[in-house]
Amino acid sequence: MAKKLVIKVTAGADAPERCSQAFTVAAVAVASGVDVSLWLTGESAWYALPGRAAEFELPHAAPLPDLLDSILAAGRVTLCTQCAARREITEQDVIKGVRIAGAQVFVQEAMAEDTQALVY
């Protein structure tokens, strides 16, 4: 079993089930002791901003703010550099603990030994 899990979520409110699945898998993995790195790309980039996860709604799904908090508490959350720039999001705008990094860092994490990468 992989010791590290890198998850890239490309969906937000535009595809709520896919978005929720990514956050849920990341939170469950963190709770299971897995080293998790969640990448926010595309429309999920908005969830790097304070209060935005609270706007997310999906019946029968765990609240996105709770999932995000648990991931931030024991894992890593990264906002894609280009996705942030396209939305005019800066490091000063994001939730404490969210970093902004680009494709080079994503590839480095995804290709590390004992790592499994998932894309939603």
Side-chain angles (χ1 to χ4, degrees):
M1 183 169 127
K3 295 179 183 173
K4 300 174 192 164
L5 183 60
V6 177
I7 299 173
K8 179 186 270 195
V9 56
T10 62
D14 59 326
E17 286 184 307
R18 194 162 27 117
C19 179
S20 179
Q21 289 167 359
F23 277 85
T24 300
V25 168
V28 168
V30 164
S32 300
V34 176
D35 181 2
V36 173
S37 177
L38 178 69
W39 282 73
L40 305 176
T41 68
E43 286 303 298
S44 72
W46 294 114
Y47 301 126
L49 296 174
R52 284 295 185 97
E55 297 172 7
F56 182 87
E57 292 183 14
L58 181 63
H60 310 291
L64 204 64
D66 295 348
L67 297 172
L68 182 56
D69 287 347
S70 68
I71 299 162
L72 282 167
R76 285 175 310 288
V77 177
T78 305
L79 171 58
C80 161
T81 302
Q82 290 182 18
C83 301
R86 279 190 282 277
R87 290 160 180 81
E88 299 182 359
I89 300 171
T90 69
E91 289 183 1
Q92 292 76 28
D93 300 321
V94 299
I95 298 166
K96 183 179 178 186
V98 173
R99 69 177 175 166
I100 298 176
Q104 179 183 5
V105 177
F106 175 78
V107 170
Q108 191 175 38
E109 285 187 12
M111 297 305 295
E113 191 171 330
D114 293 326
T115 301
Q116 174 69 51
L118 303 172
V119 177
Y120 286 88

